Amino acid sequence: NHIPNPEDPVAVKYICDKVKAVNADFGIIFDTDVDRAGAVDDLGEEINRNKLIALISAILLEEKGGAYIVTDSITSDGLKTFIEAKGGVHHRFKRGYKNVINEAIKLNKEGKYCPLAIETSGHAALKENYFLDDGAYLVTRLLVKMAKLKNTGKKLRDLIADLALPAESAEIRMGFKADVDFKVYGKN
């Protein structure tokens, strides 16, 4: 019924609409190999990119403050402020899920507690899950927290209510080909 991609606008709209139509508490979208995830709250609002990072960061920082959260380089300044306000250290690193995972492993070896490596794409790896790139594990953590919050009358979105989102954000992917002179291509 849609492309299995938590970043695809058509797929995300489908999940958002479905959550609202059936009055669900939560919606989940994975990619085909389930290493990336996105989510939708009970109002049908997407929880992805900076929101997804903020949500899992808030959960982990409640459990242990002072933690390093490794993200890819394209996260917002609002996310940095959010993580720091929750008692964490936002550690931006170069893009690529293996890059953020390896950086988190390195920080832990240096004695800097780092429970999470995550990209804005939804690739997430948690220390407690051996830094496996596992969207299902990420979503499981969100579901457990959602169930605990429900007993107190709160929602997942309450955990990120103070996250300042960028006024506008868009990712542009250029269609480079191996046989193209990048200098010439960039000037056009």
Side-chain angles (χ1 to χ4, degrees), residues 70 99-109 112 114-117 125 131:
V70 177
N99 292 328
V100 295
I101 290 170
N102 289 338
E103 183 68 3
I105 291 167
K106 180 181 143 237
L107 288 172
N108 279 295
K109 285 180 181 174
K112 299 173 181 171
C114 179
L116 176 65
F131 282 115

Side-chain angles (χ1 to χ4, degrees), residues 45-113:
E45 298 293 323
E46 62 186 272
I47 303 171
N48 63 13
R49 305 187 64 76
N50 286 301
K51 285 182 180 180
L52 182 63
I53 297 168
L55 185 55
I56 189 61
S57 295
I59 292 167
L60 295 169
L61 289 166
E62 274 182 3
E63 296 170 4
K64 186 171 180 176
Y68 282 71
I69 305 297
V70 177
T71 70
D72 59 356
S73 58
I74 64 167
T75 54
S76 71
D77 289 339
L79 180 64
K80 177 180 175 30
T81 301
F82 177 86
I83 289 170
E84 289 173 353
K86 299 289 182 202
V89 178
H90 184 208
H91 185 89
R92 282 186 179 121
F93 199 66
K94 59 187 165 187
R95 294 196 75 184
Y97 71 94
K98 287 303 288 177
N99 292 328
V100 295
I101 290 170
N102 289 338
E103 183 68 3
I105 291 167
K106 180 181 143 237
L107 288 172
N108 279 295
K109 285 180 181 174
E110 292 173 357
K112 299 173 181 171
Y113 176 67

Side-chain angles (χ1 to χ4, degrees), residues 142-158:
L142 300 180
L143 289 169
V144 168
K145 185 62 174 182
M146 184 182 72
K148 289 178 180 177
L149 287 171
K150 193 168 188 168
N151 291 331
T152 67
K154 292 185 179 181
K155 307 279 185 173
L156 283 175
R157 70 175 164 274
D158 296 331

Side-chain angles (χ1 to χ4, degrees), residues 154-176:
K154 292 185 179 181
K155 307 279 185 173
L156 283 175
R157 70 175 164 274
D158 296 331
L159 297 178
I160 57 172
D162 54 344
L163 172 65
L165 294 172
E168 184 177 345
S169 69
E171 184 170 336
I172 299 169
R173 295 183 184 213
M174 303 184 71
F176 291 117

